[in-house]
Amino acid sequence: MKRLYPLLFACTLLPAGAFASCGSAYCVINTQWDMQGLTGAAGRSAVDLRYEYIRQDRLRAGSRDISAAEDNSDTVELGTTNRNLVGTFDYSFDDHWGLGAALPMVDREHSHIVDPGGAATVESWDFSRLGDARLLGRYQFDAAASGDRYGLQFGLKLPTGSHDIANAAGTVAERALQPGTGSTDVLLGGFYSYRPQYRDLGWFAQALFQRAVATRDRFRPGDQLTLTAGLNYPVSDAATLLFQLNGLVKKRDTGANAEPDLSGGRYLYASPGASLALDRDTQVYGFVQLPLIGNVNGIQLVARRSFVAGISRRF
């Protein structure tokens, strides 16, 4: 069996890194297959189904963890559980041009205490809704004989997700907790990868910038930059060990419905993982994402660890 390269094609099509005070989140692990040159042939397509579990139950102020007793805000966050299921379709028009589309289903639970020094009312939300869709095009330059590949990425995040969900009491969740931002964002990035001809260590690097260009209801999500460096090493024809460093820089949200003092930050994660080929064109994969650096604005919820698992198939 030919060696299969493990880095699939989903995560840069996701709303990567939507972090906020209430704890809404997507994973920033990059599992993009086309970066490894495996979807470059004209008419080649791939589908991916990916599950993310992110439990945010730790309060952080700046770069240190704090207890709920140290939070003197009007609202004390208790926790958020994010379960994201993301479907992605990718198609290569020729050896250079390709297009990917992704749509997440967001299953989110969140609770916090309002007026903790007085009436101390607990508010909670529990919903499953579609999130914001993404379209990401790519142009890959001619591949070098040495295995080097590089290209550009560009696209849009569309406002397909709800941004006005309320709980059973009729209280609308803060905008950063909603499955959609209500904004249309532009995406621009680039990548470089090395894919050796024979079984050996491969690597890639990527940067992706996102900015809202059309907003709704007085809320503008902050600009964000995602940086990724990844390694993959095959230990057999079917199994490959994976490792990534994932960085995210997110600016503060702005607008009358935003919380600028409690949004945005700088993050760095280590993400070990593995993939297993079920056949020539199908493989499963998994990652654990571990925080190395988290410097947030104000007080926000963060996760101790996150998990990603998925299955992908080429056609």
Side-chain angles (χ1 to χ4, degrees):
M1 180 186 296
K2 283 188 176 181
R3 173 191 170 187
L4 291 179
Y5 289 82
L7 298 176
L8 313 175
F9 63 88
C11 192
T12 55
L13 308 180
L14 310 180
F19 296 89
S21 60
C22 60
S24 63
Y26 294 88
C27 188
V28 293
I29 293 172
N30 187 315
T31 52
Q32 189 176 10
W33 199 345
D34 67 86
M35 232 181 265
Q36 305 305 306
L38 295 179
T39 57
R44 193 78 173 183
S45 61
V47 293
D48 180 88
L49 187 63
R50 165 180 170 150
Y51 175 79
E52 302 177 347
Y53 178 84
I54 308 166
R55 170 61 180 165
Q56 295 173 278
D57 56 2
R58 182 167 58 176
L59 285 173
R60 171 158 292 200
S63 59
R64 69 182 185 91
D65 294 338
I66 65 171
S67 66
E70 297 177 82
D71 188 351
N72 57 5
S73 306
D74 293 336
T75 300
V76 175
E77 309 294 347
L78 296 177
T80 303
T81 300
N82 300 276
R83 303 177 184 91
N84 306 318
L85 186 63
V86 186
T88 307
F89 176 78
D90 185 275
Y91 183 77
S92 293
F93 298 98
D94 55 32
D95 292 339
H96 299 286
W97 293 97
L99 178 67
L103 182 64
M105 171 63 74
V106 178
D107 183 1
R108 182 168 293 150
E109 301 174 26
H110 171 75
S111 59
H112 60 223
I113 300 174
V114 179
D115 189 18
T121 303
V122 176
E123 293 183 332
S124 61
W125 290 261
D126 185 354
F127 57 82
S128 296
R129 298 290 181 87
L130 291 175
D132 288 341
R134 284 203 173 197
L135 298 175
L136 191 66
R138 66 178 178 274
Y139 180 81
Q140 180 175 283
F141 297 94
D142 289 326
S146 62
D148 298 301
R149 295 176 182 271
Y150 55 97
L152 301 175
Q153 294 171 304
F154 41 86
L156 294 172
K157 182 197 74 65
L158 304 175
T160 56
S162 301
H163 63 280
D164 56 0
I165 294 176
N167 61 13
T171 303
V172 176
E174 57 193 275
R175 287 294 298 274
L177 179 63
Q178 300 284 346
T181 65
S183 65
T184 299
D185 300 12
V186 296
L187 309 169
L188 181 62
F191 65 88
Y192 178 90
S193 69
Y194 173 71
R195 183 169 65 91
Q197 183 177 359
Y198 303 103
R199 183 181 298 169
D200 202 352
L201 184 69
W203 65 277
F204 77 96
Q206 188 212 32
L208 188 68
F209 176 75
Q210 177 176 334
R211 182 171 192 174
V213 293
T215 62
R216 188 182 303 177
D217 298 335
R218 298 174 296 172
F219 177 81
R220 176 181 291 275
D223 298 348
Q224 62 184 43
L225 175 65
T226 306
L227 301 169
T228 303
L231 301 173
N232 57 91
Y233 183 76
V235 293
S236 70
D237 287 338
T240 303
L241 299 179
L242 312 172
F243 180 79
Q244 294 185 23
L245 287 175
N246 310 107
L248 173 68
V249 178
K250 187 179 185 301
K251 298 296 186 180
R252 301 174 189 266
D253 300 332
T254 57
N257 286 321
E259 295 181 302
D261 295 337
L262 301 174
S263 61
R266 298 180 297 279
Y267 311 85
L268 179 66
Y269 304 93
S271 305
S275 72
L276 179 67
L278 304 181
D279 57 38
R280 182 182 179 87
D281 292 309
T282 306
Q283 48 188 325
V284 294
Y285 59 91
F287 285 90
V288 178
Q289 183 169 272
L290 305 171
L292 298 178
I293 297 174
N295 194 335
V296 304
N297 297 321
I299 298 175
Q300 301 185 37
L301 285 169
V302 297
R304 302 172 191 272
R305 63 190 64 84
S306 305
F307 302 93
V308 172
I311 183 169
S312 181
R313 180 169 178 82
R314 295 185 301 161
F315 299 93

